[in-house]
Amino acid sequence: MNKVKILLVEDDPNLGFVIQDSLAQKGFDVSLCTDGESAWKKIQENHFDICILDILLPNMNGFELIKHIRSVNQNIPILFLSARSLSEDRITGFRLGADDYITKPFSMEELIFRIDVFVRRSKINVLEETLFSIGAYSFHSHNATLVLDHTDIQLTQKESEILRLFCLHLNHTVKREDMLKLIWGDDDYFMGRSLDVFISKLRKHLSKDERVSIVNVFNVGFKLVVK
């Protein structure tokens, strides 16, 4: 079995080495970059399964780097690893396309757990239902693609996971706490804020068919409705 390839971008060489070594001991193939420009070059020249980015990077910060990554790859899981704990930074990261966010200091066990979640969810079970009809849209969850009038809309992994959960419960309410635990593994405040960001992005993707809507169910959760 091929190793999961991870791009780690961390400007602190000591911390970067510790993370790289710890992940390598768990069987991951980790490439380490210490600035945004070299990371962007490496991404253009290589295939990676997961990106782990710091925010405060020299030459190109993490927010700028994720914009570049998402311009060429909407599907690769991206995790921010940062000393910046402000909720605004987290929400900015999610709006730019991040799938997860861990605040320093952190435990390696938590980081490995988050990575394992991405790895498990990327291994699609061929027996699972992966093609859904949503009004005028077709949703291919196996490659995170939403199709409308022969035009592909590439979703991030988190967007795809949320939309698939909605499709499996079409026209029925999905509890917010269930969504957070199933997709993020936690239902804390910041994960709840990030869920709202992803719901907003999905509404935008689905806005070209008036029959399709994601409805807030007050104090309970959300419902994907197709009339």
Side-chain angles (χ1 to χ4, degrees):
M1 181 181 296
N2 294 331
K3 289 186 176 181
V4 174
K5 297 187 67 174
I6 297 175
L7 176 65
L8 171 64
V9 191
E10 170 57 63
D11 67 328
D12 181 332
N14 294 324
L15 178 58
F17 174 77
V18 169
I19 297 173
Q20 182 182 36
D21 186 61
S22 298
L23 294 180
Q25 290 183 33
K26 293 294 183 178
F28 298 107
D29 180 359
V30 184
S31 296
L32 174 63
C33 292
T34 56
D35 69 276
E37 284 187 358
S38 63
W40 174 230
K41 182 177 180 181
K42 191 172 286 289
I43 287 168
Q44 292 174 292
E45 297 174 348
N46 300 273
H47 165 79
F48 292 98
D49 299 299
I50 298 172
C51 292
I52 301 174
L53 315 179
D54 193 5
I55 293 178
L56 298 177
L57 297 169
N59 300 326
M60 181 190 298
N61 68 39
F63 289 154
E64 294 170 331
L65 179 56
I66 193 175
K67 290 179 184 178
H68 285 294
I69 297 172
R70 286 300 182 220
S71 71
V72 297
N73 190 330
Q74 282 288 324
N75 202 32
I76 184 172
I78 298 177
L79 186 155
F80 272 124
L81 193 66
S82 178
R84 297 171 61 149
S85 60
L86 295 175
S87 62
E88 291 81 3
D89 285 334
R90 295 194 183 206
I91 299 305
T92 297
F94 287 125
R95 282 178 176 151
L96 292 174
D99 294 289
D100 211 340
Y101 193 115
I102 298 181
T103 304
K104 301 175 184 175
F106 61 93
S107 69
M108 283 306 305
E109 289 80 6
E110 179 184 9
L111 177 59
I112 291 169
F113 170 79
R114 302 288 183 95
I115 293 171
D116 283 340
V117 168
F118 288 132
V119 173
R120 288 197 304 271
R121 288 172 182 164
S122 67
K123 296 176 180 178
I124 300 296
N125 186 333
V126 295
L127 297 178
E128 289 182 344
E129 187 176 359
T130 60
L131 175 60
F132 302 90
S133 176
I134 310 171
Y137 296 87
S138 295
F139 171 45
H140 304 259
S141 66
H142 67 284
N143 61 3
T145 303
L146 194 61
V147 182
L148 177 66
D149 295 332
H150 305 291
T151 299
D152 291 356
I153 303 167
Q154 189 64 55
L155 306 178
T156 65
Q157 182 173 333
K158 276 291 190 295
E159 289 170 349
S160 179
E161 290 170 3
I162 293 169
L163 186 54
R164 186 174 189 277
L165 189 59
F166 277 142
C167 288
L168 292 172
H169 300 82
L170 187 63
N171 294 318
H172 291 84
T173 301
V174 183
K175 291 183 179 179
R176 171 185 284 266
E177 63 186 80
D178 291 342
M179 297 180 72
L180 292 172
K181 289 179 180 178
L182 284 169
I183 295 174
W184 276 274
D186 198 345
D187 62 349
D188 71 8
Y189 170 78
F190 291 111
M191 292 303 99
R193 289 287 303 277
S194 67
L195 173 60
D196 293 334
V197 171
F198 285 111
I199 294 293
S200 177
K201 293 169 77 172
L202 285 173
R203 282 176 171 144
K204 184 176 180 180
H205 291 318
L206 296 167
S207 63
K208 293 184 179 180
D209 187 343
E210 295 181 353
R211 297 171 298 166
V212 179
S213 61
I214 299 176
V215 178
N216 283 352
V217 181
F218 184 68
N219 280 342
V220 180
F222 302 93
K223 181 193 300 186
L224 175 62
V225 176
V226 178
K227 297 179 180 178

